[in-house]
Every structure is written in structure tokens, then in C-alpha cells.
Amino acid sequence: AACLAAYNSGHLHGRWIDATQGVDHIWDETKAMLAASPIENAEEHAIHDYEGFEGAPVEEYSSFETVFALAGFIEEHGPLGGKVLAHFGGDIEDAKTAFEDFSGEYESLEDFALDLAEQTGAEIPETFAPYIDYAAMGRDIKLNGNIFTIETRFDEIHVFWAR
């Protein structure tokens, strides 16, 4: 949180606040930061920086209730939770629903399609197996809107079924 009176006067004054500690904690820390401002009677604050939210939308004037809720979701689900929140524009309910439809972590969409084919239990004759293009199947499943993916590393794709 940053002091806007200080900022508008050319001073950088703020404080890192652990948003997982609760709304009251965020308010108390913000009030303490404003009280310590180099500008007397500072009253206004804004969120000027944040880390650990993994792309989840935290705006300059996000409510502390929203910031706390986002932080709690990310604390529960880890960095992937932040990326899913970002995918849904910060909508926690949509992000929770997505985790109910989590298919798993794969190295590629090809691996996902192969796993999906194996889960169906379909017996594919050995002579036909080389002709099945699992990479194209995975790509088409995604392009058709049946799934969405979150890539966390070069070889780490998290697959979620779309509703």
C-alpha cells in the first residue's frame, strides 16, 4: 500500500502488507503506514505494487476484501491458483469451479490426449496406433473449447475442462 499524499508530493512511501492475514490486518497496516507518512495528516492510499498474485488482477483501488479473498485463494491453490484467477479476470467463483474440473498436469496437449484415450479404455490395435495423431487431438480439444490450459513452465501444462 502506498501513501497518495506522499506520492503526489514526490515521495515514495508505502509498506508491504501480507494480504493473507485478513482485512483487519490490511487496514491496520495501511493506517500505520499513513501515520508514518512524511506528509502530515495523510489519509489516502492506493495499491501501487504487489507480488505473489501470479497475474490475478489487483488494481490500484481494489478493495481490501477483494485483495484478501484473492490472496486466500492463491494461498490455498498456489501459483496455479493465481494464474487461474487471472484467466477468469479475478472471478473467484469461476476459479473455484475450474478446480473442480481440473484434469491434471501434463507435459503437452499430446500427453493429455493420449491419457484421455487411455482413460476411455478403448482398445486400439497395434497396427493402427502409429496413425493416431494425439498432438492434433489435444489441439482440437482445446480449439473446440472443451478445455482451457494454464502453462506454468515450458513443459508443464495444467488442463481444465471448460463448462
Side-chain angles (χ1 to χ4, degrees), residues 61-117:
Y61 296 107
S62 291
S63 73
F64 290 159
E65 289 80 6
T66 298
V67 172
F68 171 64
L70 294 172
F73 188 85
I74 294 165
E75 184 176 47
E76 179 182 347
H77 296 285
L80 179 60
K83 292 182 185 311
V84 171
L85 281 167
H87 177 81
F88 287 107
D91 189 308
I92 292 177
E93 291 307 312
D94 285 346
K96 284 179 183 177
T97 300
F99 273 98
E100 292 171 9
D101 297 325
F102 181 58
S103 180
E105 177 186 318
Y106 300 90
E107 286 189 19
S108 65
L109 284 175
E110 180 178 7
D111 290 344
F112 165 71
L114 178 61
D115 185 54
L116 188 61

Short mmCIF file of all heavy atoms in Angstrom, two decimals, residues 61-117:
data_model
loop_
_atom_site.label_atom_id
_atom_site.label_comp_id
_atom_site.label_asym_id
_atom_site.label_seq_id
_atom_site.Cartn_x
_atom_site.Cartn_y
_atom_site.Cartn_z
N TYR A 61 -7.08 0.50 -6.78
CA TYR A 61 -8.10 0.76 -5.77
C TYR A 61 -8.96 -0.46 -5.48
O TYR A 61 -10.13 -0.33 -5.10
CB TYR A 61 -8.97 1.95 -6.20
CG TYR A 61 -8.16 3.22 -6.29
CD1 TYR A 61 -7.83 3.76 -7.52
CD2 TYR A 61 -7.69 3.84 -5.14
CE1 TYR A 61 -7.06 4.91 -7.61
CE2 TYR A 61 -6.91 4.99 -5.22
CZ TYR A 61 -6.61 5.52 -6.45
OH TYR A 61 -5.84 6.65 -6.53
N SER A 62 -8.39 -1.64 -5.63
CA SER A 62 -9.12 -2.86 -5.26
C SER A 62 -9.46 -2.79 -3.77
O SER A 62 -8.65 -2.31 -2.97
CB SER A 62 -8.26 -4.11 -5.51
OG SER A 62 -8.06 -4.33 -6.88
N SER A 63 -10.63 -3.28 -3.43
CA SER A 63 -11.00 -3.28 -2.00
C SER A 63 -10.11 -4.27 -1.26
O SER A 63 -9.64 -5.27 -1.83
CB SER A 63 -12.47 -3.66 -1.84
OG SER A 63 -12.65 -5.04 -2.09
N PHE A 64 -9.89 -4.02 0.01
CA PHE A 64 -9.09 -4.94 0.80
C PHE A 64 -9.79 -6.29 0.94
O PHE A 64 -9.15 -7.31 1.08
CB PHE A 64 -8.77 -4.35 2.17
CG PHE A 64 -7.80 -3.19 2.11
CD1 PHE A 64 -7.73 -2.29 3.15
CD2 PHE A 64 -6.95 -2.99 1.03
CE1 PHE A 64 -6.83 -1.22 3.12
CE2 PHE A 64 -6.06 -1.94 0.98
CZ PHE A 64 -6.00 -1.05 2.03
N GLU A 65 -11.10 -6.29 0.88
CA GLU A 65 -11.85 -7.55 0.92
C GLU A 65 -11.51 -8.39 -0.31
O GLU A 65 -11.30 -9.60 -0.21
CB GLU A 65 -13.36 -7.29 0.99
CG GLU A 65 -13.84 -6.73 2.31
CD GLU A 65 -13.61 -5.22 2.48
OE1 GLU A 65 -13.18 -4.53 1.51
OE2 GLU A 65 -13.85 -4.72 3.60
N THR A 66 -11.46 -7.74 -1.46
CA THR A 66 -11.11 -8.43 -2.70
C THR A 66 -9.68 -8.93 -2.66
O THR A 66 -9.40 -10.08 -3.01
CB THR A 66 -11.30 -7.50 -3.91
OG1 THR A 66 -12.69 -7.14 -4.00
CG2 THR A 66 -10.87 -8.16 -5.21
N VAL A 67 -8.76 -8.09 -2.23
CA VAL A 67 -7.35 -8.47 -2.16
C VAL A 67 -7.17 -9.65 -1.21
O VAL A 67 -6.45 -10.61 -1.51
CB VAL A 67 -6.48 -7.26 -1.74
CG1 VAL A 67 -5.04 -7.69 -1.48
CG2 VAL A 67 -6.53 -6.17 -2.80
N PHE A 68 -7.83 -9.60 -0.06
CA PHE A 68 -7.75 -10.70 0.91
C PHE A 68 -8.32 -11.99 0.31
O PHE A 68 -7.74 -13.07 0.47
CB PHE A 68 -8.50 -10.33 2.19
CG PHE A 68 -8.64 -11.47 3.16
CD1 PHE A 68 -7.53 -12.05 3.75
CD2 PHE A 68 -9.90 -11.97 3.48
CE1 PHE A 68 -7.67 -13.11 4.64
CE2 PHE A 68 -10.04 -13.01 4.37
CZ PHE A 68 -8.93 -13.59 4.95
N ALA A 69 -9.44 -11.90 -0.38
CA ALA A 69 -10.05 -13.09 -0.99
C ALA A 69 -9.13 -13.68 -2.06
O ALA A 69 -8.94 -14.91 -2.11
CB ALA A 69 -11.41 -12.74 -1.59
N LEU A 70 -8.55 -12.84 -2.89
CA LEU A 70 -7.62 -13.33 -3.92
C LEU A 70 -6.40 -13.98 -3.27
O LEU A 70 -5.97 -15.06 -3.68
CB LEU A 70 -7.17 -12.18 -4.83
CG LEU A 70 -8.22 -11.53 -5.72
CD1 LEU A 70 -7.65 -10.28 -6.40
CD2 LEU A 70 -8.77 -12.49 -6.74
N ALA A 71 -5.86 -13.33 -2.25
CA ALA A 71 -4.68 -13.86 -1.57
C ALA A 71 -4.98 -15.22 -0.92
O ALA A 71 -4.16 -16.14 -0.97
CB ALA A 71 -4.18 -12.87 -0.52
N GLY A 72 -6.15 -15.34 -0.33
CA GLY A 72 -6.54 -16.61 0.29
C GLY A 72 -6.67 -17.73 -0.73
O GLY A 72 -6.25 -18.87 -0.48
N PHE A 73 -7.24 -17.41 -1.88
CA PHE A 73 -7.39 -18.41 -2.93
C PHE A 73 -6.02 -18.85 -3.42
O PHE A 73 -5.77 -20.05 -3.61
CB PHE A 73 -8.22 -17.84 -4.08
CG PHE A 73 -8.57 -18.86 -5.12
CD1 PHE A 73 -9.68 -19.67 -4.96
CD2 PHE A 73 -7.80 -19.02 -6.26
CE1 PHE A 73 -10.01 -20.62 -5.91
CE2 PHE A 73 -8.11 -19.97 -7.21
CZ PHE A 73 -9.22 -20.78 -7.03
N ILE A 74 -5.12 -17.90 -3.61
CA ILE A 74 -3.78 -18.22 -4.08
C ILE A 74 -3.02 -19.00 -3.01
O ILE A 74 -2.28 -19.95 -3.32
CB ILE A 74 -3.03 -16.95 -4.50
CG1 ILE A 74 -3.72 -16.33 -5.71
CG2 ILE A 74 -1.55 -17.24 -4.79
CD1 ILE A 74 -3.31 -14.91 -6.01
N GLU A 75 -3.21 -18.65 -1.76
CA GLU A 75 -2.56 -19.39 -0.67
C GLU A 75 -3.03 -20.85 -0.68
O GLU A 75 -2.25 -21.77 -0.47
CB GLU A 75 -2.87 -18.74 0.67
CG GLU A 75 -2.16 -19.39 1.84
CD GLU A 75 -2.40 -18.67 3.14
OE1 GLU A 75 -3.58 -18.35 3.45
OE2 GLU A 75 -1.42 -18.42 3.86
N GLU A 76 -4.31 -21.06 -0.95
CA GLU A 76 -4.87 -22.42 -0.98
C GLU A 76 -4.41 -23.22 -2.19
O GLU A 76 -4.11 -24.40 -2.09
CB GLU A 76 -6.40 -22.34 -0.98
CG GLU A 76 -7.09 -23.69 -1.03
CD GLU A 76 -8.61 -23.58 -1.07
OE1 GLU A 76 -9.15 -22.48 -0.82
OE2 GLU A 76 -9.25 -24.61 -1.34
N HIS A 77 -4.34 -22.57 -3.36
CA HIS A 77 -4.06 -23.29 -4.61
C HIS A 77 -2.67 -23.06 -5.17
O HIS A 77 -2.34 -23.62 -6.23
CB HIS A 77 -5.12 -22.92 -5.66
CG HIS A 77 -6.49 -23.37 -5.29
ND1 HIS A 77 -6.91 -24.67 -5.38
CD2 HIS A 77 -7.55 -22.66 -4.82
CE1 HIS A 77 -8.16 -24.75 -4.98
NE2 HIS A 77 -8.57 -23.56 -4.63
N GLY A 78 -1.88 -22.21 -4.53
CA GLY A 78 -0.53 -21.95 -5.00
C GLY A 78 -0.51 -21.06 -6.22
O GLY A 78 -1.53 -20.49 -6.62
N PRO A 79 0.66 -20.94 -6.84
CA PRO A 79 0.79 -20.06 -8.00
C PRO A 79 -0.20 -20.39 -9.12
O PRO A 79 -0.67 -19.49 -9.82
CB PRO A 79 2.23 -20.29 -8.46
CG PRO A 79 2.95 -20.73 -7.23
CD PRO A 79 1.94 -21.53 -6.45
N LEU A 80 -0.55 -21.67 -9.28
CA LEU A 80 -1.53 -22.03 -10.30
C LEU A 80 -2.86 -21.34 -10.02
O LEU A 80 -3.56 -20.92 -10.95
CB LEU A 80 -1.70 -23.55 -10.36
CG LEU A 80 -2.72 -24.07 -11.37
CD1 LEU A 80 -2.36 -23.65 -12.79
CD2 LEU A 80 -2.83 -25.59 -11.26
N GLY A 81 -3.22 -21.21 -8.75
CA GLY A 81 -4.46 -20.53 -8.38
C GLY A 81 -4.48 -19.10 -8.88
O GLY A 81 -5.50 -18.61 -9.38
N GLY A 82 -3.35 -18.40 -8.76
CA GLY A 82 -3.26 -17.03 -9.25
C GLY A 82 -3.42 -16.96 -10.75
O GLY A 82 -4.08 -16.06 -11.28
N LYS A 83 -2.85 -17.92 -11.45
CA LYS A 83 -2.95 -17.93 -12.91
C LYS A 83 -4.38 -18.26 -13.35
O LYS A 83 -4.87 -17.72 -14.34
CB LYS A 83 -1.94 -18.91 -13.50
CG LYS A 83 -0.50 -18.43 -13.29
CD LYS A 83 0.49 -19.36 -13.92
CE LYS A 83 1.91 -18.98 -13.63
NZ LYS A 83 2.28 -17.60 -13.85
N VAL A 84 -5.05 -19.13 -12.62
CA VAL A 84 -6.46 -19.43 -12.95
C VAL A 84 -7.32 -18.19 -12.67
O VAL A 84 -8.21 -17.86 -13.45
CB VAL A 84 -6.95 -20.67 -12.18
CG1 VAL A 84 -8.45 -20.87 -12.33
CG2 VAL A 84 -6.20 -21.92 -12.65
N LEU A 85 -7.05 -17.51 -11.56
CA LEU A 85 -7.77 -16.27 -11.28
C LEU A 85 -7.56 -15.26 -12.41
O LEU A 85 -8.50 -14.59 -12.84
CB LEU A 85 -7.31 -15.66 -9.96
CG LEU A 85 -7.89 -16.28 -8.70
CD1 LEU A 85 -7.11 -15.81 -7.48
CD2 LEU A 85 -9.36 -15.96 -8.56
N ALA A 86 -6.32 -15.16 -12.89
CA ALA A 86 -6.04 -14.24 -13.99
C ALA A 86 -6.84 -14.64 -15.22
O ALA A 86 -7.38 -13.77 -15.93
CB ALA A 86 -4.54 -14.24 -14.31
N HIS A 87 -6.94 -15.94 -15.48
CA HIS A 87 -7.70 -16.43 -16.64
C HIS A 87 -9.17 -15.99 -16.55
O HIS A 87 -9.78 -15.68 -17.57
CB HIS A 87 -7.61 -17.96 -16.70
CG HIS A 87 -8.40 -18.58 -17.79
ND1 HIS A 87 -7.95 -18.64 -19.09
CD2 HIS A 87 -9.63 -19.15 -17.80
CE1 HIS A 87 -8.86 -19.23 -19.84
NE2 HIS A 87 -9.89 -19.54 -19.08
N PHE A 88 -9.70 -15.96 -15.34
CA PHE A 88 -11.10 -15.60 -15.13
C PHE A 88 -11.29 -14.15 -14.69
O PHE A 88 -12.35 -13.79 -14.16
CB PHE A 88 -11.76 -16.55 -14.12
CG PHE A 88 -12.00 -17.92 -14.67
CD1 PHE A 88 -11.22 -18.98 -14.25
CD2 PHE A 88 -12.99 -18.14 -15.61
CE1 PHE A 88 -11.44 -20.27 -14.76
CE2 PHE A 88 -13.21 -19.41 -16.13
CZ PHE A 88 -12.43 -20.46 -15.70
N GLY A 89 -10.28 -13.32 -14.87
CA GLY A 89 -10.41 -11.91 -14.54
C GLY A 89 -10.66 -11.64 -13.07
O GLY A 89 -11.29 -10.65 -12.72
N GLY A 90 -10.19 -12.54 -12.21
CA GLY A 90 -10.34 -12.36 -10.77
C GLY A 90 -11.61 -12.93 -10.18
O GLY A 90 -11.85 -12.80 -8.98
N ASP A 91 -12.44 -13.57 -11.00
CA ASP A 91 -13.69 -14.14 -10.50
C ASP A 91 -13.40 -15.42 -9.72
O ASP A 91 -13.09 -16.47 -10.30
CB ASP A 91 -14.64 -14.44 -11.66
CG ASP A 91 -16.03 -14.84 -11.19
OD1 ASP A 91 -16.14 -15.76 -10.34
OD2 ASP A 91 -17.00 -14.24 -11.66
N ILE A 92 -13.51 -15.33 -8.40
CA ILE A 92 -13.15 -16.46 -7.53
C ILE A 92 -14.09 -17.63 -7.72
O ILE A 92 -13.65 -18.79 -7.70
CB ILE A 92 -13.07 -16.01 -6.07
CG1 ILE A 92 -11.87 -15.06 -5.90
CG2 ILE A 92 -12.95 -17.20 -5.12
CD1 ILE A 92 -11.70 -14.48 -4.52
N GLU A 93 -15.36 -17.38 -7.92
CA GLU A 93 -16.31 -18.48 -8.09
C GLU A 93 -16.00 -19.28 -9.35
O GLU A 93 -16.04 -20.51 -9.34
CB GLU A 93 -17.75 -17.97 -8.10
CG GLU A 93 -18.22 -17.44 -6.75
CD GLU A 93 -18.01 -18.44 -5.60
OE1 GLU A 93 -18.37 -19.62 -5.76
OE2 GLU A 93 -17.47 -18.03 -4.57
N ASP A 94 -15.69 -18.59 -10.44
CA ASP A 94 -15.31 -19.29 -11.68
C ASP A 94 -14.02 -20.07 -11.48
O ASP A 94 -13.87 -21.18 -11.99
CB ASP A 94 -15.16 -18.30 -12.84
CG ASP A 94 -16.50 -17.82 -13.38
OD1 ASP A 94 -17.55 -18.42 -13.05
OD2 ASP A 94 -16.49 -16.83 -14.15
N ALA A 95 -13.08 -19.49 -10.75
CA ALA A 95 -11.80 -20.17 -10.50
C ALA A 95 -12.02 -21.41 -9.63
O ALA A 95 -11.42 -22.46 -9.88
CB ALA A 95 -10.81 -19.21 -9.83
N LYS A 96 -12.88 -21.32 -8.63
CA LYS A 96 -13.19 -22.50 -7.80
C LYS A 96 -13.82 -23.60 -8.65
O LYS A 96 -13.46 -24.77 -8.52
CB LYS A 96 -14.17 -22.12 -6.67
CG LYS A 96 -13.54 -21.37 -5.54
CD LYS A 96 -14.60 -21.03 -4.49
CE LYS A 96 -14.01 -20.20 -3.38
NZ LYS A 96 -15.04 -19.80 -2.39
N THR A 97 -14.74 -23.22 -9.50
CA THR A 97 -15.39 -24.19 -10.39
C THR A 97 -14.37 -24.85 -11.30
O THR A 97 -14.43 -26.05 -11.55
CB THR A 97 -16.50 -23.50 -11.21
OG1 THR A 97 -17.47 -22.96 -10.30
CG2 THR A 97 -17.18 -24.48 -12.15
N ALA A 98 -13.42 -24.06 -11.79
CA ALA A 98 -12.39 -24.62 -12.67
C ALA A 98 -11.60 -25.70 -11.96
O ALA A 98 -11.29 -26.75 -12.56
CB ALA A 98 -11.46 -23.51 -13.16
N PHE A 99 -11.27 -25.49 -10.70
CA PHE A 99 -10.51 -26.51 -9.98
C PHE A 99 -11.32 -27.78 -9.75
O PHE A 99 -10.77 -28.86 -9.60
CB PHE A 99 -9.96 -25.95 -8.66
CG PHE A 99 -8.63 -25.29 -8.83
CD1 PHE A 99 -8.54 -23.91 -8.94
CD2 PHE A 99 -7.46 -26.04 -8.91
CE1 PHE A 99 -7.31 -23.29 -9.12
CE2 PHE A 99 -6.23 -25.43 -9.09
CZ PHE A 99 -6.15 -24.06 -9.20
N GLU A 100 -12.65 -27.66 -9.75
CA GLU A 100 -13.49 -28.86 -9.66
C GLU A 100 -13.38 -29.67 -10.95
O GLU A 100 -13.61 -30.87 -10.95
CB GLU A 100 -14.95 -28.47 -9.42
CG GLU A 100 -15.21 -27.86 -8.06
CD GLU A 100 -16.61 -27.27 -7.93
OE1 GLU A 100 -17.45 -27.49 -8.84
OE2 GLU A 100 -16.85 -26.58 -6.93
N ASP A 101 -13.04 -28.99 -12.05
CA ASP A 101 -12.93 -29.63 -13.36
C ASP A 101 -11.48 -29.75 -13.81
O ASP A 101 -11.20 -29.78 -15.00
CB ASP A 101 -13.73 -28.83 -14.39
CG ASP A 101 -15.22 -28.80 -14.07
OD1 ASP A 101 -15.72 -29.81 -13.57
OD2 ASP A 101 -15.86 -27.76 -14.31
N PHE A 102 -10.57 -29.82 -12.86
CA PHE A 102 -9.14 -29.93 -13.17
C PHE A 102 -8.85 -31.34 -13.65
O PHE A 102 -9.18 -32.32 -13.00
CB PHE A 102 -8.32 -29.60 -11.92
CG PHE A 102 -6.84 -29.66 -12.13
CD1 PHE A 102 -6.21 -28.87 -13.08
CD2 PHE A 102 -6.05 -30.49 -11.35
CE1 PHE A 102 -4.84 -28.90 -13.25
CE2 PHE A 102 -4.68 -30.53 -11.51
CZ PHE A 102 -4.08 -29.74 -12.46
N SER A 103 -8.24 -31.44 -14.82
CA SER A 103 -7.93 -32.75 -15.40
C SER A 103 -6.56 -33.25 -15.01
O SER A 103 -6.34 -34.43 -14.90
CB SER A 103 -8.04 -32.67 -16.93
OG SER A 103 -7.75 -33.93 -17.48
N GLY A 104 -5.61 -32.32 -14.83
CA GLY A 104 -4.28 -32.74 -14.42
C GLY A 104 -3.19 -31.91 -15.06
O GLY A 104 -3.45 -30.99 -15.83
N GLU A 105 -1.98 -32.28 -14.72
CA GLU A 105 -0.79 -31.61 -15.24
C GLU A 105 -0.14 -32.53 -16.26
O GLU A 105 0.02 -33.72 -16.02
CB GLU A 105 0.19 -31.34 -14.10
CG GLU A 105 1.48 -30.71 -14.52
CD GLU A 105 2.45 -30.62 -13.36
OE1 GLU A 105 2.05 -30.27 -12.24
OE2 GLU A 105 3.64 -30.90 -13.60
N TYR A 106 0.23 -31.95 -17.39
CA TYR A 106 0.82 -32.73 -18.49
C TYR A 106 2.01 -31.97 -19.07
O TYR A 106 2.12 -30.75 -18.89
CB TYR A 106 -0.22 -32.97 -19.59
CG TYR A 106 -1.42 -33.73 -19.10
CD1 TYR A 106 -2.54 -33.07 -18.59
CD2 TYR A 106 -1.45 -35.12 -19.13
CE1 TYR A 106 -3.64 -33.77 -18.12
CE2 TYR A 106 -2.55 -35.83 -18.66
CZ TYR A 106 -3.63 -35.14 -18.16
OH TYR A 106 -4.71 -35.83 -17.69
N GLU A 107 2.84 -32.68 -19.78
CA GLU A 107 3.95 -32.02 -20.47
C GLU A 107 3.49 -31.36 -21.76
O GLU A 107 4.11 -30.41 -22.23
CB GLU A 107 5.07 -33.03 -20.76
CG GLU A 107 5.85 -33.42 -19.53
CD GLU A 107 7.07 -34.25 -19.86
OE1 GLU A 107 7.54 -34.23 -21.02
OE2 GLU A 107 7.56 -34.92 -18.94
N SER A 108 2.39 -31.85 -22.33
CA SER A 108 1.89 -31.31 -23.59
C SER A 108 0.43 -31.70 -23.77
O SER A 108 -0.09 -32.57 -23.07
CB SER A 108 2.70 -31.87 -24.76
OG SER A 108 2.49 -33.27 -24.87
N LEU A 109 -0.22 -31.07 -24.74
CA LEU A 109 -1.59 -31.45 -25.08
C LEU A 109 -1.62 -32.85 -25.67
O LEU A 109 -2.60 -33.58 -25.54
CB LEU A 109 -2.21 -30.44 -26.05
CG LEU A 109 -2.66 -29.13 -25.42
CD1 LEU A 109 -3.13 -28.17 -26.50
CD2 LEU A 109 -3.74 -29.36 -24.39
N GLU A 110 -0.53 -33.24 -26.31
CA GLU A 110 -0.43 -34.60 -26.83
C GLU A 110 -0.51 -35.61 -25.69
O GLU A 110 -1.25 -36.60 -25.79
CB GLU A 110 0.88 -34.77 -27.60
CG GLU A 110 1.07 -36.16 -28.17
CD GLU A 110 2.35 -36.29 -28.98
OE1 GLU A 110 3.15 -35.35 -29.01
OE2 GLU A 110 2.51 -37.35 -29.61
N ASP A 111 0.21 -35.37 -24.61
CA ASP A 111 0.16 -36.27 -23.46
C ASP A 111 -1.25 -36.31 -22.85
O ASP A 111 -1.72 -37.36 -22.42
CB ASP A 111 1.17 -35.85 -22.40
CG ASP A 111 2.60 -36.10 -22.82
OD1 ASP A 111 2.82 -36.88 -23.78
OD2 ASP A 111 3.50 -35.53 -22.18
N PHE A 112 -1.90 -35.14 -22.82
CA PHE A 112 -3.27 -35.09 -22.31
C PHE A 112 -4.19 -35.95 -23.17
O PHE A 112 -4.97 -36.76 -22.64
CB PHE A 112 -3.78 -33.64 -22.29
CG PHE A 112 -5.26 -33.53 -22.13
CD1 PHE A 112 -5.87 -33.83 -20.92
CD2 PHE A 112 -6.05 -33.14 -23.20
CE1 PHE A 112 -7.25 -33.75 -20.78
CE2 PHE A 112 -7.42 -33.05 -23.07
CZ PHE A 112 -8.02 -33.35 -21.86
N ALA A 113 -4.12 -35.82 -24.49
CA ALA A 113 -4.98 -36.59 -25.40
C ALA A 113 -4.70 -38.08 -25.29
O ALA A 113 -5.64 -38.89 -25.30
CB ALA A 113 -4.80 -36.10 -26.83
N LEU A 114 -3.45 -38.45 -25.16
CA LEU A 114 -3.09 -39.86 -25.00
C LEU A 114 -3.67 -40.40 -23.70
O LEU A 114 -4.27 -41.48 -23.68
CB LEU A 114 -1.57 -40.03 -25.03
CG LEU A 114 -1.04 -41.44 -24.82
CD1 LEU A 114 -1.54 -42.39 -25.90
CD2 LEU A 114 0.48 -41.43 -24.79
N ASP A 115 -3.53 -39.64 -22.63
CA ASP A 115 -4.09 -40.05 -21.34
C ASP A 115 -5.61 -40.16 -21.42
O ASP A 115 -6.20 -41.11 -20.89
CB ASP A 115 -3.69 -39.04 -20.25
CG ASP A 115 -4.14 -39.46 -18.87
OD1 ASP A 115 -3.82 -40.60 -18.47
OD2 ASP A 115 -4.79 -38.65 -18.19
N LEU A 116 -6.24 -39.23 -22.09
CA LEU A 116 -7.69 -39.25 -22.25
C LEU A 116 -8.13 -40.49 -23.02
O LEU A 116 -9.09 -41.16 -22.64
CB LEU A 116 -8.15 -37.98 -22.97
CG LEU A 116 -9.64 -37.73 -23.07
CD1 LEU A 116 -10.27 -37.61 -21.69
CD2 LEU A 116 -9.89 -36.46 -23.88
N ALA A 117 -7.40 -40.82 -24.08
CA ALA A 117 -7.72 -42.02 -24.86
C ALA A 117 -7.56 -43.28 -24.01
O ALA A 117 -8.39 -44.19 -24.08
CB ALA A 117 -6.83 -42.10 -26.09
#
